[in-house]
Amino acid sequence: MGIYKEEAIVLRSMAYGETDRILTLFTRGAGKVAAIAKGVRKPSSRLRGAVQLFSHTHLVLYAGRTLDTITQGDADETFGFIEQDLDRLAAASCFTELIDRLTMDKQPLPKLFQLLLAALRSLEGADPDLLGRIFEAKLLAALGYQPQLDGCVMGHHDGWQAPASGVVDVGPVWFSIERGGVLCPDCAASCSGALPLSPATVAVLAYFLRTPLDRAVRARVEQRSRSELASFLRSFITYHGDVRPRSWQFAGACKDKAKLATDGVLTPPA
Amino acid sequence: MFLYPEPLAALVESLRKLPGIGPKTAQRLALYLLHAPAIEAEGIAHSILEAREKIFLCSVCGNFTDVDPCVLCQDVSRDQSLVCVVESPRDIIAFERTRDFRGLYHVLHGVLSPIDGIGPSDLKIAELLQRVQGGSVKEVILALNPNVEGGATSVYLSQLLKPLNLRVTRIAHGLPVGGDLEFADTATLSRSFLGRQEL
């Protein structure tokens, strides 16, 4: 491969040796790439600004056996607003950690690159919590794990549809995380571990899956559906992706101000 | 297949645990220690044990020390109203080399990093809040690395410290001494404009 140019987003950055950093990059054309940025921790480094965490950047790399070497770089967008707010930092970390842990090295996934870029751009104005749910839903779809919401996932009850949101007294919609879709009442009764979801939550998930991200972030979603969707998507990702990102815990702690206070952090000791 | 004798294999394995040391370097260091005069190898072993035994964190600032409080915290000639918050003890050495700062330090031992699972309770933040409420501290200078995690930690700390009626400042961001404007990145140039000073 020799020397190549790529548009990339920095997913992870780890100090290495005296002055280097090892980066995990998500590139538009080559997928996830591990690369070394030499001397980048020195103030005089020309590369330093181009390889900051979460940056959208254009790089020139030299392919190596295990690590590629970054030789030139120019940052397009650095998303400086992320460091101004812990909720946004937590959300951006969740996006990048999920992509890092759910994708294989050097597997081109240009649609996923576009999704991550759109999510980072939207983070400035959008609700980080809601954007997280939209990102998770679209990430599952892009990786081939899209939850099936049309018809019973068991497939032998033709014509059955999950009840629409807003219908009174329809009861919950049953969902099988293991099988990856909704269940008709008959199948739900015989399926162990079927999860009850409110029709409104299923409708929100369906809306997120079919609507472009920049429009979906404008949706107004009730708190109950938000909580249910967050819990559902995390269970789904943990089961099918076999990952439990550390950023989730941080994001939870940011929301749980009471927990931070008991840790002696938010409420200064008397 | 020939394998190292057990004590040598154990030494290689131990050295491999050090940061930045791979299997080949560990092997080279282990063989060096066996070739070196016994007194040298024993000296290294003794230094490691002594450092582990005698060095601990200062109860005031969190820096590594062999006396409590550390020599910097005990120094009455330093300005007790200024506390400079740094990420690691290495940063204290960097600031001390400048000879320009004569206040006190506080070491956080890390910065907020969601991806690495480091949250506020993993840092020495509660200790900082307790320390600055004594009344003698007037200004807290946040001197964390100018990257995303350092920036987020600074913003978070300033939100906690400002309600305590303290002056909270951050060290300047901008162009390095001896650097060329032509090669400066956009983020650094923008910050250098924001932090411009009147002459």
Side-chain angles (χ1 to χ4, degrees), chain A:
Chain A
M1 203 168 179
I3 291 174
Y4 65 102
K5 289 182 186 176
E6 267 299 345
E7 184 183 350
I9 294 169
V10 181
L11 300 180
R12 278 201 81 156
S13 174
M14 189 175 72
Y16 180 75
E18 290 278 318
T19 58
D20 306 339
R21 277 192 174 273
I22 291 180
L23 307 174
T24 305
L25 305 167
F26 192 53
T27 66
R28 191 185 284 275
K32 193 170 74 177
V33 171
I36 187 163
K38 290 189 173 169
V40 83
R41 283 155 65 204
K42 288 192 279 191
S44 55
S45 165
R46 290 177 191 178
L47 260 184
R48 197 187 60 245
V51 293
Q52 292 297 310
L53 190 62
F54 308 127
S55 289
H56 172 217
T57 182
H58 288 84
L59 301 171
V60 179
L61 299 107
Y62 186 79
R65 254 192 318 176
T66 50
L67 282 175
D68 296 354
T69 304
I70 300 171
T71 56
Q72 288 177 54
D74 190 15
D76 220 7
E77 298 161 276
T78 52
F79 307 111
F81 56 84
I82 291 175
E83 65 180 63
Q84 300 300 317
D85 178 6
L86 281 200
D87 289 333
R88 289 190 162 74
L89 173 69
S93 301
C94 289
F95 302 161
T96 52
E97 191 176 357
L98 280 170
I99 292 214
D100 183 19
R101 297 184 63 182
L102 291 173
T103 59
M104 307 276 284
D105 283 346
K106 308 229 167 159
Q107 181 187 15
L109 293 162
K111 279 187 184 166
L112 205 52
F113 179 88
Q114 200 52 46
L115 172 66
L116 177 60
L117 188 55
L120 288 171
R121 283 174 176 161
S122 298
L123 198 49
E124 186 166 18
D127 172 352
D129 190 44
L130 197 64
L131 182 58
R133 302 297 82 75
I134 299 166
F135 179 82
E136 286 163 2
K138 290 188 173 297
L139 173 74
L140 286 170
L143 290 171
Y145 297 110
Q146 176 163 338
Q148 185 185 316
L149 304 177
D150 296 330
C152 177
V153 73
M154 303 287 264
H156 52 263
H157 289 85
D158 289 343
W160 179 84
Q161 287 293 318
S165 169
V167 180
V168 182
D169 292 336
V170 291
V173 178
W174 294 92
F175 194 98
S176 167
I177 298 254
E178 185 185 349
R179 293 179 181 275
V182 291
L183 298 163
C184 66
D186 290 346
C187 292
S190 61
C191 180
S192 65
L195 188 74
L197 294 174
S198 73
T201 302
V202 176
V204 169
L205 178 58
Y207 177 76
F208 286 171
L209 286 167
R210 68 170 183 265
T211 312
L213 186 138
D214 57 340
R215 272 197 15 235
V217 291
R218 295 201 291 267
R220 273 191 281 177
V221 181
E222 283 181 8
Q223 191 53 46
R224 185 184 165 208
S225 287
R226 284 177 181 235
S227 309
E228 200 173 51
L229 195 56
S231 166
F232 162 75
L233 283 169
R234 288 186 180 184
S235 303
F236 198 95
I237 290 169
T238 305
Y239 182 85
H240 290 283
D242 198 19
V243 294
R244 186 175 282 278
R246 286 196 274 200
S247 306
W248 281 353
Q249 202 183 344
F250 187 94
C254 284
K255 275 193 289 182
D256 190 356
K257 305 291 191 222
K259 184 178 177 303
L260 287 181
T262 55
D263 289 342
V265 175
L266 271 186
T267 307

Side-chain angles (χ1 to χ4, degrees), chain B residues 134-148:
Chain B
S136 57
V137 177
K138 304 285 180 232
E139 180 176 350
V140 176
I141 304 165
L142 302 172
L144 304 175
N145 286 320
N147 51 33
V148 177

